[in-house]
Amino acid sequence: MEQPGTPLRWWQTRGFVALATLIAIVPLLWPAIPPLVDLPGHMGRYRVQLTSTEQAPWLAEWFDFNWSLIGNLGIDLLIVPFAKLFGLELGVKLIVITIPALTVAGLLWIAREVHGRIPPTAMFALPLAYSYPFQFGFVNFALSMGLALCLFALWLRLGRLKKLRLRAAIFLPASCLLWLCHTFGWGVLGVLAFSAEMIRQHDARKDAGSGHWIESWFRAGLGCLPLALPMLLMVAWRSGDHVTGQTADWFNWQGKIAWVMMILRDRWQTWDIAATAVMYLILFKGLRDPAIEYSRNLALSALFLAAVFLVLPRIVFGSAYADMRLAPFMVAIALIAIRPRITMSARHASILAALGLAFFLARMAGTTVSYYLFAEDYETELAALDHLPVGARVVSFVGEDCHNDWMMTRLEHLPAIGLARKLTYTNDQWSMPGAQLLTSRYQIAGRFAHDSSQIVTAMWCPREWWKPIGYSVARFPREAFDYMWLIRTPPFNPRFATDLDRIWRSPTGASALFKVNRSRPVPKIGDEELWPAWFLELRRQRMAQMAPQPGATPTPAP
């Protein structure tokens, strides 16, 4: 740690914190729609939420939207005033822009509160404002985490100033609002606050000559009671009859190892993994370099988060990738836990700060280019909407492969922009009662009513619910839809679409829009052309086993 009274370095000033926060939003300035995987799907839900029955009565035939108290309402609530002021798309963009800004500001503020000054190594954590969960479009989660980091910094500050009553008065409502944004942010704030309070209580008791860890643990729990009120909200949410969603896939070690390697996953695998390796190199340096050390406060917080990461299942209440979401924040807290010792020279600290800033700028530049390219993809594909009428019934198919490529196309939920802009039907909405405010009620669409019916592949993929493009084109119910929108799908047999007329095609030819021609018959396609041979043989064997054997006595009906 630096000696008290020494002048602030350039990376420790408020001006630098403000500049770093502004730099963090640069990648999101150009795209009209932030290119995050799930975000277009959420935008479709916001449009249903904001549109009255008088404006579009057909939406009530397709979807159920019911307000309820759930721990996943961050942008769903904020978009109400933002859409009135700025419109839906700009409103969403402005809210999403605040997420990396809050994350960067929160990390630097925490570092300042714990170390007294921002250490030069803290800048290596800042690129995690664009971590894999954010790229995936978990926007309510990401917003809650940015808020949780800032609230944790405030918790530390009020504890340092010994304003504990004021802290309790602030965090009693603040914890409820954070839970309302997303339960994950509230849970992480609780873990961080408890670990910090335990260190504070232990040091206070130690100075008084009674610094026992068990007593500190108990007192830390009492100190965190202002954060406990959302537990009642959680019970009320999860005890309803309408709630669905399982909690499953515990201790998937292969998946957890993958998540800690993919914390910066975006577009270029080598670039992203190299950047991740730099972060882990800094963490290793904190253990071996005699010039730097770990803060006990944040090191304990990082260890607590690591323990939660290890025991957290992949699926919680039906929401996937629960453990993956925690991985980058676990690493970020560990990175800002590192600080220089008094023995570190000013020149050494300046070099570390310059390297950290260069690393941050390089990642922001790469993300800016990546988002520009994704925005170009969005513009190309959304040209199809110019050929659709308002309120059209559209079944959409988005091409995917079975290999889980590093670069996600960000197109998986792009069809929902049709719902956002033209109030069309979209078959990519999630339909999980209790987890989302919107569910599908369009029964004639059958298996093509909701996510993941929009994902199609060239063949049947193992361990996936996705269907091949040929199957989806041949089997979607013509009576339920008037249009079919293909977005970069694999080729298929044209005979499966003889009753469809193409009315638009992308410049690359990979995407197209078709209209159902009801004057022509639906093609009759046999199962042998759509299902793999092994599946047909398995079905034949099962039917043979179920058939009554010759001479067998029929089982009487109950």
Side-chain angles (χ1 to χ4, degrees), residues 43 48 57 100 107 145 188 204 245 251 296 358 379 441 482 508 540:
M43 292 173 66
V48 177
L107 288 171
M145 290 300 297
V188 169
F251 306 114
R296 288 184 309 134
E379 185 177 354
R441 61 182 299 177
D482 303 311
T508 62
R540 186 194 64 79

Side-chain angles (χ1 to χ4, degrees), residues 14-36:
R14 293 179 179 177
F16 175 77
V17 173
L19 179 61
T21 303
L22 290 175
I23 292 172
I25 72 174
V26 169
L28 288 165
L29 294 179
W30 175 258
I33 301 171
L36 312 176

